[in-house]
Amino acid sequence: MVVFALMWGIHFKHLRVGAVAAALVGSLLSAPSAQALFLEIPATQWGHIYAGTNPVTTTTPRSKFAVGVAKSTFNVTYNNFPDWAKKEVQAAVDVWSANFASTVVINVDASWGRSSSWGILGSARPANFFSSFAGAPDQSLWYASALANALAGKDLDKANPDIIIQVNSSGGWNTRGDGMPSQREYDLASVFLHEIAHGLGFLSNDAYDTYFSIASLDQPTPYDAFAQTPDGQRLADLPTPSKELAQALMAPLVWSGTNAIKANGGVKPKLYTPSRYEPGSSTSHLDEATFSKSGLDSVMTPNLDPGEIFKEPGPLLLAMIEDMRSKPPAGIATGLPQVPRNVQAFTADSSALISFDPPVNLRTAQISEYIVKNVKTGVENKALSSPVVVTGLKNGTSYTFTVVAKNALGVSEAATTKATIPQAGWKSTVLDSGADGKSVASTTFNGKPAIAYTDTKSGDLKLATFDGKVWKKVTVDGAGGTSGRTSHAINSPVSLCVNGSGTKQLLHIFYSDATDKDLRYATYNGKSFVFEVVDGDGPVVNNYEDPNRVRTSSDVSVTNACVTNAGSVQVFYRDESQGILLGAVKSAANPWVYELVDGDRKTDGRSTGDVGFHLQATFDSGKTYVVYDSVVTVNQKKEISSGAVRVATRVGTDATAWSYQTLDISTDNASVFGYDVAISKVNGDVMLAWLATSVTSFPKPDQIRWVMLSAPLNISKMTTENFGTPGAYLSIDGKTIVFNCQERLCALDTSKSDIGQSAIRLVRSSQSVEPTQSAWVSVNKVKYLLATVSNKLALLKP
């Protein structure tokens, strides 16, 4: 069964031991930035390489010199490997680095130990498979972690490795490091050349049931789409589960990719499909009889003979990997498409956003296009996938639409949407055309608005201040320089706070870099910056059980929020390595004093949840308020199954003075966790907002919730049917909650007495691959929303 998961801005690295009842082995959610919708499932099938029994003589060892210019970076985590073996692994890694292109680091988790299966030298699998991500050549297929990241241009799951490899420590290895195994020894570097290919996606996702003699292929990979029966049927399109698929797995299969056919002399390469199914070998290898003696192209045969070595992947394997980077050939339609599912129409500016899921017979129908028809006008729009933007509509006029799926045999029955009424979005003015403002924060500094923001392309952190007439922009960090600046990209959330009075205030900026993952700190007096690292650069991880709080070496780059008073600055941030909420306080008289705020125990009102994926703070009337999310458990599908939204408060800066309150928890009716949180001061009170999901929409959020802290039980909520799924990021000004809606931007006016769909307005109509972070800022006494429009930082107002 397909596991659906939405990337709403959370990921798990690893929890401290015993902190959560259900250990979090990974996540389908990614942080610190909220990601666009995509699907993820754990990989379960392994690709093996067996010890062959036909000794060969190695005449020349592999080169010990450079293997070419690196096209990617592999980071290997070794578990129990002897030193000689690490050198062999590195040799294989260097070869693949020169042959597989990716801008994303490929993380490999390698384990050394006895194999439970006789004859297996090594096994590998991806950590996960991804589908429907931006950059996927075929949105219906499931791409191995490293390949998906390479195609997407970003790490889709930072919490997990990309490739998992297990090596049989009793494999009869050549341990001399000379690349010349005897006729009784096996070459470890060759095993890794083979297994890394499996981890990169040279792997079928099929499964065979020996008891019932049927096979299944629920989540086909691009490998499965290029694998064909002799009559041209794609393995990915065969019925599942079925005996027909089982028979295909034990009959001839060939590869249909044009690159591999060319590399194989114009002949479709034959895959390994013995008459008796072999788990971990069948389908996921080149045919042993055809390629075992083919020299460079023998790497992906299922066996490695004693004395045999592989020096490089070989042209055929590389051609097959290149095929998997492209869209597979279309399959053969076996019937009309069924009706598209979950068809919806969402409000947009002079347009409508039509969303739908493919028919249930997507794979066998081989859909060529979808046709969206405006019922009122009869105008049709054709598209290859959802969503479809229908333009040329009149704001204030009601429209309905039909959607049909088409293939070579005809069209499906039509699905009809509910009516939607387009409305105008907010007007926008570009503030910085050269930056996208992925992370933004605003405040008032020396009586004027100040905005800190990041730019994805340059990796810089910028500051814009308004002098009453124009915006003055400077680069704060990320471009290198003196006085503690870094040249590493700044890709984290940013928080701003100010203390001092009049025009002699001090601006405090907190942020993190993508490489060191430290919490960095800059102060600005209106003329110059001073830089330092607050945390993350300690000598070791400061364990959550240690009462002596000092600098840690943990990843502290996920979230941060700061507050100030006249004499001190406080910053709060997530320890990603242990899943806890940390704090640091600095005053004029004292350097940084560190504390653990929550996530470490169940006494004193605290929580053992995995806390602080999302975090905001404010200071009012001498009291500090910190609102954050808490994940308590996940289910077997790696979906969060319970959590909470919490708030911690204190007067002063004493680490023992915190009091805690749980605002909302997961119940049988709704799940509350980890989407985003927001906080704002409101007339002597504090307003908080967060997202939740109902049973019918799980795991997608479908509710916005908010409450005044003076009446924490009176939680208000609002669904967003006509505007689409709400998502991070949230921002509030005490009246209006701004949220991402179906990859756009919407605003909820909480002051309306008759809270309903009319209380929600469209802010930005165009979709964005990345959800937009926003912030409120007043310019010449006019309140604006700061957000990204068409990849440019802009100011918006109704």
Side-chain angles (χ1 to χ4, degrees):
M1 186 175 185
V2 177
V3 178
F4 291 92
L6 291 169
M7 310 308 159
W8 292 116
I10 304 175
H11 81 289
F12 306 118
K13 197 167 187 179
H14 52 275
L15 286 179
R16 61 270 181 212
V17 177
V20 170
L24 306 184
V25 294
S27 173
L28 305 183
L29 309 176
S30 177
S33 61
Q35 302 294 317
L37 171 66
F38 60 89
L39 308 176
E40 180 180 2
I41 57 171
T44 58
Q45 306 296 341
W46 293 83
H48 305 313
I49 187 169
Y50 279 87
T53 56
N54 299 310
V56 299
T57 301
T58 299
T59 55
T60 57
R62 65 175 55 86
S63 173
K64 294 184 179 181
F65 300 101
V67 293
V69 177
K71 299 178 180 178
S72 58
T73 301
F74 284 73
N75 177 36
V76 182
T77 298
Y78 294 99
N79 301 300
N80 302 320
F81 270 73
D83 289 340
W84 72 264
K86 293 178 182 179
K87 296 177 182 179
E88 296 287 300
V89 173
Q90 191 60 51
V93 164
D94 289 344
V95 170
W96 270 113
S97 178
N99 284 281
F100 183 82
S102 178
T103 59
V104 182
V105 174
I106 301 164
N107 293 300
V108 180
D109 186 89
S111 298
W112 176 269
R114 288 181 177 271
S115 174
S116 59
S117 300
W118 183 89
I120 292 180
L121 293 174
S123 305
R125 63 171 173 83
N128 297 294
F129 286 104
F130 295 87
S131 179
S132 303
F133 57 89
D138 190 319
Q139 297 288 312
S140 68
L141 297 176
W142 295 84
Y143 292 78
S145 298
L147 181 57
N149 290 344
L151 293 167
K154 59 185 176 183
D155 195 337
L156 298 176
D157 185 354
K158 297 178 182 178
N160 289 304
D162 302 304
I163 299 174
I164 298 174
I165 299 178
Q166 296 178 351
V167 177
N168 187 352
S169 58
S170 302
W173 305 108
N174 169 24
T175 63
R176 295 181 300 277
D178 57 4
M180 294 285 289
S182 71
Q183 294 186 6
R184 293 184 178 182
E185 295 173 328
Y186 295 96
D187 183 68
L188 182 59
S190 296
V191 168
F192 262 83
L193 278 175
H194 178 106
E195 294 304 332
I196 288 174
H198 284 314
L200 293 173
F202 196 100
L203 191 70
S204 172
N205 221 2
D206 64 70
Y208 181 79
D209 189 318
T210 56
Y211 185 81
F212 291 102
S213 298
I214 62 173
S216 60
L217 183 54
D218 296 327
Q219 289 92 26
T221 68
Y223 187 96
D224 296 312
F226 281 104
Q228 287 186 347
T229 61
D231 62 358
Q233 282 190 297
R234 305 191 315 174
L235 193 64
D237 299 331
L238 295 177
T240 180
S242 69
K243 289 186 177 293
E244 181 182 350
L245 178 59
Q247 293 168 356
L249 297 179
M250 294 177 286
L253 289 174
V254 294
W255 187 265
S256 62
T258 55
N259 291 302
I261 293 172
K262 181 179 179 181
N264 198 42
V267 178
K268 292 182 178 180
K270 187 178 181 182
L271 302 180
Y272 181 63
T273 53
S275 57
R276 183 177 179 179
Y277 185 84
E278 299 175 5
S281 290
S282 288
T283 318
S284 297
H285 291 87
L286 290 171
D287 184 59
E288 177 78 17
T290 306
F291 293 101
S292 63
K293 306 300 181 184
S294 62
L296 291 176
D297 290 333
S298 63
V299 176
M300 292 315 293
T301 56
N303 300 322
L304 175 71
D305 287 320
E308 184 180 16
I309 65 169
F310 305 142
K311 298 182 180 181
E312 56 185 272
L316 180 54
L317 170 55
L318 294 177
M320 295 172 79
I321 295 287
E322 195 61 30
D323 282 333
M324 288 191 285
R325 288 178 176 263
S326 64
K327 187 174 179 64
I332 301 171
T334 58
L336 286 174
Q338 295 183 26
V339 64
R341 299 169 295 144
N342 300 323
V343 174
Q344 295 175 287
F346 301 120
T347 301
D349 190 349
S350 301
S351 58
L353 181 66
I354 314 302
S355 174
F356 52 87
D357 292 331
V360 293
N361 66 337
L362 168 68
R363 287 164 57 182
T364 56
Q366 295 301 308
I367 295 167
S368 58
E369 65 180 1
Y370 295 93
I371 302 172
V372 177
K373 181 178 180 180
N374 185 330
V375 174
K376 184 180 291 292
T377 65
V379 174
E380 294 182 344
N381 290 68
K382 298 179 180 180
L384 298 177
S385 61
S386 171
V388 177
V389 178
V390 179
T391 59
L393 308 181
K394 293 182 179 180
N395 289 334
T397 301
S398 178
Y399 296 89
T400 57
F401 303 86
T402 61
V403 183
V404 298
K406 182 180 180 181
N407 70 0
L409 303 178
V411 297
S412 70
E413 295 182 7
T416 304
T417 70
K418 292 182 179 180
T420 188
I421 301 175
Q423 63 177 231
W426 292 9
K427 297 178 182 179
S428 64
T429 302
V430 174
L431 189 149
D432 191 334
S433 60
D436 57 7
K438 182 175 176 59
S439 295
V440 296
S442 65
T443 190
T444 299
F445 173 56
N446 287 336
K448 301 293 184 180
I451 298 168
Y453 55 99
T454 60
D455 178 40
T456 301
K457 183 177 293 185
S458 67
D460 294 341
L461 171 65
K462 297 184 176 182
L463 178 69
T465 54
F466 191 68
D467 66 2
K469 294 182 179 180
V470 296
W471 288 96
K472 296 183 177 179
K473 310 177 190 74
V474 296
T475 296
V476 179
D477 208 350
T482 59
S483 304
R485 288 181 170 90
T486 180
S487 59
H488 298 153
I490 308 301
N491 68 342
S492 71
V494 181
S495 58
L496 293 179
C497 45
V498 174
N499 60 2
S501 59
T503 58
K504 295 183 179 180
Q505 292 183 316
L506 189 64
L507 178 64
H508 306 267
I509 313 173
F510 294 90
Y511 56 97
S512 296
D513 68 280
T515 303
D516 294 331
K517 301 187 183 301
D518 296 336
L519 179 62
R520 305 183 69 86
Y521 172 47
T523 56
Y524 181 59
N525 61 8
K527 297 180 180 179
S528 61
F529 292 94
V530 176
F531 298 89
E532 65 176 295
V533 174
V534 177
D535 207 353
D537 62 343
V540 295
V541 171
N542 187 192
N543 190 278
Y544 78 99
E545 294 177 319
D546 189 348
N548 181 27
R549 306 312 302 176
V550 296
R551 284 178 184 257
T552 182
S553 63
S554 295
D555 174 357
V556 290
S557 66
V558 173
T559 51
N560 65 75
C562 69
V563 298
T564 58
N565 60 19
S568 66
V569 57
Q570 304 176 62
V571 62
F572 308 100
Y573 48 99
R574 172 176 165 80
D575 180 328
E576 175 71 349
S577 302
Q578 299 187 88
I580 52 180
L581 179 59
L582 300 178
V585 181
K586 184 178 184 180
S587 65
N590 297 303
W592 291 107
V593 176
Y594 299 93
E595 61 181 313
L596 199 164
V597 179
D598 202 4
D600 61 328
R601 63 179 187 266
K602 283 191 174 182
T603 59
D604 308 314
R606 295 160 88 107
S607 168
T608 56
D610 198 357
V611 298
F613 295 103
H614 301 90
L615 170 68
Q616 288 196 25
T618 192
F619 185 83
D620 188 36
S621 301
K623 182 178 286 189
T624 299
Y625 300 84
V626 184
V627 61
Y628 51 96
D629 58 342
S630 173
V631 172
V632 178
T633 59
V634 294
N635 60 25
Q636 290 182 342
K637 296 179 181 179
K638 297 201 303 182
E639 299 162 340
I640 306 168
S641 54
S642 67
V645 173
R646 291 172 57 79
V647 62
T649 59
R650 74 176 171 191
V651 175
T653 59
D654 186 345
T656 65
W658 289 107
S659 61
Y660 301 88
Q661 192 172 354
T662 298
L663 297 175
D664 207 0
I665 61 173
S666 297
T667 67
D668 291 340
N669 296 321
S671 295
V672 180
F673 43 65
Y675 293 121
D676 203 3
V677 295
I679 190 170
S680 178
K681 293 182 286 188
V682 185
N683 300 324
D685 206 340
V686 174
M687 180 180 180
L688 305 112
W690 60 95
L691 300 179
T693 174
S694 65
V695 174
T696 57
S697 69
F698 179 86
K700 293 166 37 174
D702 64 351
Q703 302 172 21
I704 301 172
R705 297 192 179 197
W706 66 97
V707 73
M708 302 304 294
L709 197 56
S710 61
L713 299 180
N714 297 332
I715 296 175
S716 301
K717 63 182 179 180
M718 179 71 197
T719 57
T720 60
E721 291 91 344
N722 295 339
F723 294 85
T725 300
Y729 299 91
L730 297 179
S731 62
I732 57 177
D733 66 347
K735 173 186 174 184
T736 304
I737 304 173
V738 176
F739 59 97
N740 282 266
C741 53
Q742 212 70 20
E743 288 84 57
R744 302 169 303 158
L745 210 57
C746 294
L748 167 63
D749 186 349
T750 63
S751 67
K752 292 201 171 185
S753 58
D754 56 338
I755 291 293
Q757 288 295 304
S758 62
I760 301 178
R761 302 296 298 175
L762 188 70
V763 174
R764 188 198 63 189
S765 182
S766 59
Q767 283 196 301
S768 174
V769 174
E770 296 284 350
T772 297
Q773 190 171 2
S774 59
W776 296 94
V777 60
S778 292
V779 182
N780 291 335
K781 298 183 179 181
V782 177
K783 184 174 289 187
Y784 292 87
L785 182 72
L786 183 71
T788 302
V789 177
S790 301
N791 293 319
K792 299 175 182 178
L793 186 64
L795 296 170
L796 300 97
K797 65 186 298 291

